[in-house]
Amino acid sequence: MSINVLLVDDEAVDLEWLRRRVLASPLDIAVVGTANSGFNALKIMEQERVDIILSDIRMPIMTGTEFARRAKVIHPKVKIVFISGHEDFSYAKEAIEINASGYLLKPVEDKDLYEMLDSLCAAMEQEREQNRSFSEALSLVNKELILRWFEEPSPEPAEPHLRSALTPLLVKGAAAAFVEIDDLEWKMRDLSEEDARVKTRQMAGLIKSFVEDGKLGTLIPVHHHRFVILCSLPQDSFMNLLDELIRKMAESSPCTLTIGVGRYAQDEAGLHESYQQAQAALSAKWLLGKNRLIRDNMESSPRGTPGARMEQTVVKLLEAIIQYDLVAIDDQLLELFTSAGKKDVYELIIRITSKLHADLQQQNENLYELLQWESHQPDILFQFETIHDILSWMRRRFFELSELLYVKRQRQKRKLIDEIMNYVEENLEKKITLKEVAAHFDFTPNYLGYLFKEEYGLPFSEFVNERKTGRVFELLGDPTLKIYEIAERMGYKNIIYFNRQFKQITGMTPGEYRKKQKI
């Protein structure tokens, strides 16, 4: 791939001289544009890939150094070489401050120009080779392993092969971003399966191309509509590029993008936390809306600080919601919101709901589906004038959520009890023990025994005896069956023990029961 060079000089003669000399270079270089001002040069940079800029340092209106600063925002890795006369050498200090790659004095000798270009091209080839090596290291398998490592709540240190893939990212600091295509399902619902797949692939391709062309970092697909970007660009550049990606998707496809971004990290643990922060930021989409960039700006607090106490209160609140303890929900909400300023309320709501959503996902529940929250619904929060109004709204919603979870758990318990009762009914003529049934349903005997008594009102053993006795009554009603045959069928090897058990429960022997029933 050739090296693209942009030439900038307000003097037409000097600009043409520079263009001809660069094109005469034996290096694989292409001049993608010439500009007589910093403004025109910035326009070219927005349209073309520029690797090296050769710019006069003294230009009217916008100086070369001011142009260079703006150029670095567009393309942080661009190499900039300033050209000036001896009297302008005082600009060298400014050039150093913005990390210029070189400085040439007028009149520029061909030898000096070509040596400068040669060294820059060599450096760029080396960088490209490093980037290629890094991309190859992050194979699909490695990306999957990195993703699994990110998903671990409390990860162990990365394995050596993953560390070798992550280390280049962390040299200057890196951050994670979670990218999600909004409303994909319902916007594709009127299309055929094939057309929907094509549209989805096109949108995924746009994201992939943008990340690669803009050198944003490593793209890891999570799902057909979700992606993770690991980036080591300077923070402002990364944010600007993500904003541009959101804009391009909205302009060129039926869907929009929402992106959650974590904080920059310097080590593996920090990058893992950045991933979790990006995920949490994205989950705040319901509150802040779609088609936007959401950043996690909330710094974690040391243990014992007010921030840490707030985290503990949030944990207690979530426990109360799950346990259907409405009094505790109200207590924790009061503690959280009574002293909160209006400025902090919305970040607090994001933190609560993001954590609650993450905790519920661990239980295969979805906060937004349970409450049928859409991104437009919480706009009402921004219309409230007092903390009291916000608190009342949150209280109602969390009471509703707690009740929904409770009812759902009760239904699940009832379904489990019904399944246990059906299992007992189907196996009445075998020996049934609590231990065996618990193993069948993948519970501990103690928990299953407690759950059964709590839901049914009888200990499990009494229920089994009750149902076995009912089955014995049914069998005794069949005059073709002898009593010893019934005893054997019900799992009793000793007819005497069978008679004794039956009499203990009914007050009569099986024979007496038949006589009484005239069987």
Side-chain angles (χ1 to χ4, degrees), residues 179-184 187-188 198-211 219 223-227 229 240-259 290-293:
V179 182
E180 183 172 77
I181 302 175
D182 301 320
D183 305 320
L184 186 62
K187 286 195 175 180
M188 298 290 116
V198 169
K199 288 284 186 186
T200 303
R201 282 198 296 268
Q202 287 174 348
M203 287 184 280
L206 185 151
I207 296 169
K208 183 174 183 290
S209 297
F210 188 91
V211 170
L219 183 72
H223 198 258
H224 66 281
H225 70 299
R226 270 192 164 198
F227 308 84
I229 301 174
N240 289 337
L241 287 167
L242 291 178
D243 276 327
E244 186 181 347
L245 173 59
I246 291 170
R247 179 180 57 78
K248 282 198 170 183
M249 179 64 79
E251 290 174 352
S252 60
S253 75
C255 295
T256 57
L257 285 182
T258 302
I259 304 177
K290 296 171 282 194
N291 190 29
R292 59 169 297 162
L293 188 65

Side-chain angles (χ1 to χ4, degrees), residues 468-504:
K468 275 184 170 289
T469 302
R471 178 61 60 85
V472 169
F473 282 147
E474 291 175 15
L475 296 175
L476 287 171
D478 183 353
T480 64
L481 291 174
K482 301 187 183 307
I483 290 175
Y484 75 86
E485 291 175 333
I486 295 172
E488 288 177 358
R489 185 165 168 178
M490 293 304 296
Y492 293 92
K493 296 181 179 179
N494 190 318
I495 185 66
I496 297 173
Y497 180 71
F498 172 68
N499 286 339
R500 187 181 297 129
Q501 285 286 101
F502 188 85
K503 187 171 184 178
Q504 186 177 346

Side-chain angles (χ1 to χ4, degrees), residues 25-44:
S25 164
L27 299 167
D28 185 12
I29 288 178
V31 175
V32 293
T34 59
N36 59 5
S37 72
F39 295 105
N40 291 334
L42 291 173
K43 288 179 183 178
I44 293 173

Side-chain angles (χ1 to χ4, degrees), residues 327-383:
V327 174
I329 293 173
D330 193 43
D331 289 343
Q332 305 310 323
L333 282 173
L334 284 171
E335 184 170 339
L336 284 167
F337 284 94
T338 300
S339 59
K342 193 169 184 179
K343 175 185 174 184
D344 307 318
V345 163
Y346 302 111
E347 282 192 355
L348 181 57
I349 292 170
I350 292 170
R351 179 171 290 193
I352 292 170
T353 53
S354 297
K355 181 165 177 52
L356 179 56
H357 181 55
D359 284 6
L360 288 175
Q361 281 186 316
Q362 297 295 319
Q363 303 178 32
N364 295 319
E365 298 287 1
N366 186 298
L367 171 68
Y368 312 122
E369 289 178 3
L370 281 168
L371 286 182
Q372 298 180 343
W373 279 352
E374 296 290 346
S375 60
H376 65 275
Q377 287 180 330
D379 287 347
I380 190 172
L381 286 170
F382 297 92
Q383 301 170 20

Side-chain angles (χ1 to χ4, degrees), residues 278-305:
Q279 201 171 36
L282 181 62
S283 70
K285 179 169 75 171
W286 74 271
L287 177 64
L288 300 178
K290 296 171 282 194
N291 190 29
R292 59 169 297 162
L293 188 65
I294 305 174
R295 296 173 62 178
D296 187 328
N297 294 317
M298 296 175 286
E299 297 294 334
S300 54
S301 306
R303 189 176 298 276
T305 65

Side-chain angles (χ1 to χ4, degrees), residues 131-146:
N131 289 337
R132 279 194 292 270
S133 299
F134 180 53
S135 298
E136 289 168 4
L138 282 176
S139 64
L140 289 176
V141 173
N142 273 346
K143 287 181 179 180
E144 178 64 24
L145 291 174
I146 288 173

Side-chain angles (χ1 to χ4, degrees), residues 429-445:
E429 297 179 10
K430 301 175 184 176
K431 185 178 180 181
I432 303 173
T433 66
L434 177 60
K435 184 177 180 180
E436 182 266 325
V437 175
H440 179 80
F441 286 94
D442 203 20
F443 287 99
T444 64

